[in-house]
Amino acid sequence: MATLEQRLEHLFPSKKRKGPSSIALVALIFAERRGKWLTQDDAISLMNKKFADSTIRKAFKELSRPLDVLEGHSFIDIELIRRYDKGRPALRGKLSEAAAERIFELVTPVKEKPPSSFLLINKGGKLEIPPLFVGSENNGSKWLSPEDILLLREKKIGKKQANRLLKGIADKGKPYSESVDILKDHRFGPLPSHQIRIIDAGQRELASDENRLCIGIKALVMPATDEHRKRLEAAGIAPCPSCGNPTHRSDLIRIQGTETDSCLTEYFELAKKCIHSIRHEDGSWSEMIVGISGMTSEGETKDECRKKLMNDLMIWIRDKQLNGSAIPPIPQAQFCLLSDRDRL
Ligand SMILES: [Zn+2]
């Protein structure tokens, strides 16, 4: 899978060693909003102070010039629009056809099944990339040639990145790649020491791009009326008596020793401050919520461990709600902290 960022960074490589160039990031804003006009001010507000306004204006102008990387086409088409407030018209731009073609180009399917492509990999090994079937029962058989897939991939993200992607897929194993029985399949050349075939998921990963489309939504915020409140109440949603956020009735809990209900969100926020994490030597994790005895979890990664812990906490709370038993308070954060060495 090639991300949109990878393709734009290939078109506009950064001169610095770290991070994408400002021009690649402004280009990304246009690529994410194909067919939409954006003014310089739009681009500036979308960049959210990541660069100086003048840098963004400069990138905007740069993208509207004929570019060598696009064979003399500009990345954005521009036009002037009249502004309502002041006399000076504003400049706005839209992703050009040439740029859209370069970024979103697809491999043309063929009817005849093309041959596999073979690439030499290090230590005398070979990589086989079979053609990718994209047809269906209705429109007959259609194939993507592995050679075309590789060429387009290199054109979009460069040879180095394409090789890195390919190597990653080959190393992944099933369902991305598989070892080939060399003696059975060997047809030409000296016997390679090993051969790997890219299969199903790997072929798709190699051939596909990750695209996205951003859509703007304008929202109007108005003070709530009694009617709104009634409608929300009918749906079981009311302000949390403790924090005031709209909360569903089933998510309100009564914590032992308190006079009013509070919401699950607040309880979870407090609990999270009392999590003690341990990373084991084999890289796996254990976590516990200090103050709730027995609330522990284990996982291969910290993410997995945290997900389990939060899930267990939820089940624990729901159980107590069902039994009508009181939910104990979470100790205050400062009492949860163990020694500095144990805090992660
Ligand atoms: Zn609340």
Side-chain angles (χ1 to χ4, degrees), residues 240 242-244 262-263 266:
C240 162
S242 166
C243 70
S262 54
C263 59
E266 286 175 89

Side-chain angles (χ1 to χ4, degrees), residues 92-192:
R92 65 175 191 175
K94 189 176 78 172
L95 190 73
S96 75
E97 247 176 65
E101 170 74 15
R102 170 59 71 87
I103 302 167
F104 302 112
E105 190 183 348
L106 298 172
V107 172
T108 314
V110 290
K111 277 213 167 115
E112 291 276 305
K113 186 177 177 179
S116 287
S117 272
F118 290 90
L119 297 172
L120 289 179
I121 46 176
N122 48 0
K123 290 184 204 134
K126 234 196 230 177
L127 197 60
E128 179 188 350
I129 307 161
L132 177 60
F133 184 72
V134 288
S136 67
E137 276 175 34
N138 302 334
N139 59 15
S141 65
K142 274 185 184 163
W143 299 86
L144 300 186
S145 137
E147 211 180 304
D148 291 350
I149 293 175
L150 284 173
L151 279 175
L152 187 65
R153 185 49 71 236
E154 281 181 17
K155 189 173 154 193
K156 280 182 181 172
I157 61 173
K159 204 174 171 73
K160 210 170 131 194
Q161 287 285 354
N163 278 341
R164 189 174 298 167
L165 177 69
L166 204 51
K167 191 176 178 306
I169 293 170
D171 288 347
K172 262 189 189 169
K174 277 179 182 168
Y176 292 85
S177 61
E178 62 182 11
S179 294
V180 180
D181 183 343
I182 298 168
L183 291 177
K184 199 176 115 229
D185 285 14
H186 184 68
R187 300 204 204 290
F188 60 88
L191 204 59

Side-chain angles (χ1 to χ4, degrees), residues 67-320:
L67 294 164
D68 287 344
V69 282
L70 290 176
E71 285 90 33
H73 296 280
S74 61
F75 188 85
I76 53 173
D77 298 327
I78 44 165
E79 65 175 32
L80 286 169
I81 47 161
R82 200 186 289 277
R83 281 215 297 225
Y84 294 109
D85 47 355
K86 278 173 215 147
R88 247 179 84 193
L91 201 60
R92 65 175 191 175
K94 189 176 78 172
L95 190 73
S96 75
E97 247 176 65
E101 170 74 15
R102 170 59 71 87
I103 302 167
F104 302 112
E105 190 183 348
L106 298 172
V107 172
T108 314
V110 290
K111 277 213 167 115
E112 291 276 305
K113 186 177 177 179
S116 287
S117 272
F118 290 90
L119 297 172
L120 289 179
I121 46 176
N122 48 0
K123 290 184 204 134
K126 234 196 230 177
L127 197 60
E128 179 188 350
I129 307 161
L132 177 60
F133 184 72
V134 288
S136 67
E137 276 175 34
N138 302 334
N139 59 15
S141 65
K142 274 185 184 163
W143 299 86
L144 300 186
S145 137
E147 211 180 304
D148 291 350
I149 293 175
L150 284 173
L151 279 175
L152 187 65
R153 185 49 71 236
E154 281 181 17
K155 189 173 154 193
K156 280 182 181 172
I157 61 173
K159 204 174 171 73
K160 210 170 131 194
Q161 287 285 354
N163 278 341
R164 189 174 298 167
L165 177 69
L166 204 51
K167 191 176 178 306
I169 293 170
D171 288 347
K172 262 189 189 169
K174 277 179 182 168
Y176 292 85
S177 61
E178 62 182 11
S179 294
V180 180
D181 183 343
I182 298 168
L183 291 177
K184 199 176 115 229
D185 285 14
H186 184 68
R187 300 204 204 290
F188 60 88
L191 204 59
S193 59
H194 62 287
Q195 188 167 318
I196 296 168
R197 182 184 293 139
I198 306 291
I199 53 169
D200 315 325
Q203 287 176 282
R204 260 170 272 279
E205 173 87 12
L206 183 68
S208 43
D209 286 332
E210 184 201 82
N211 292 328
R212 57 176 173 268
L213 204 58
C214 293
I215 300 167
I217 297 171
K218 284 206 175 86
L220 205 60
V221 181
M222 293 190 307
T225 61
D226 278 346
E227 199 197 329
H228 291 136
R229 228 166 272 138
K230 270 183 204 142
R231 225 185 284 161
L232 284 171
E233 263 165 36
I237 296 166
C240 162
S242 166
C243 70
N245 285 328
T247 308
H248 193 266
R249 215 182 289 127
S250 65
D251 286 345
L252 288 177
I253 51 172
R254 178 62 67 88
I255 299 169
Q256 216 171 353
T258 55
E259 306 269 289
T260 51
D261 284 346
S262 54
C263 59
L264 275 180
T265 316
E266 286 175 89
Y267 196 75
F268 267 75
E269 284 313 308
L270 283 176
K272 275 183 195 161
K273 287 185 188 151
C274 288
I275 294 174
H276 176 61
S277 314
I278 301 156
R279 185 173 187 271
H280 300 292
E281 265 173 23
D282 63 354
S284 67
W285 288 79
S286 302
E287 288 192 325
M288 58 154 103
I289 299 176
V290 183
I292 305 180
S293 78
M295 192 57 64
T296 59
S297 72
E298 278 169 7
E300 291 292 306
T301 63
K302 196 173 183 181
D303 261 10
E304 186 193 324
C305 190
R306 181 62 58 91
K307 246 183 223 159
K308 278 189 197 161
L309 189 67
M310 290 297 115
N311 197 31
D312 286 356
L313 180 62
M314 193 67 177
I315 293 169
W316 180 79
I317 292 171
R318 291 298 189 211
D319 255 13
K320 292 216 176 307

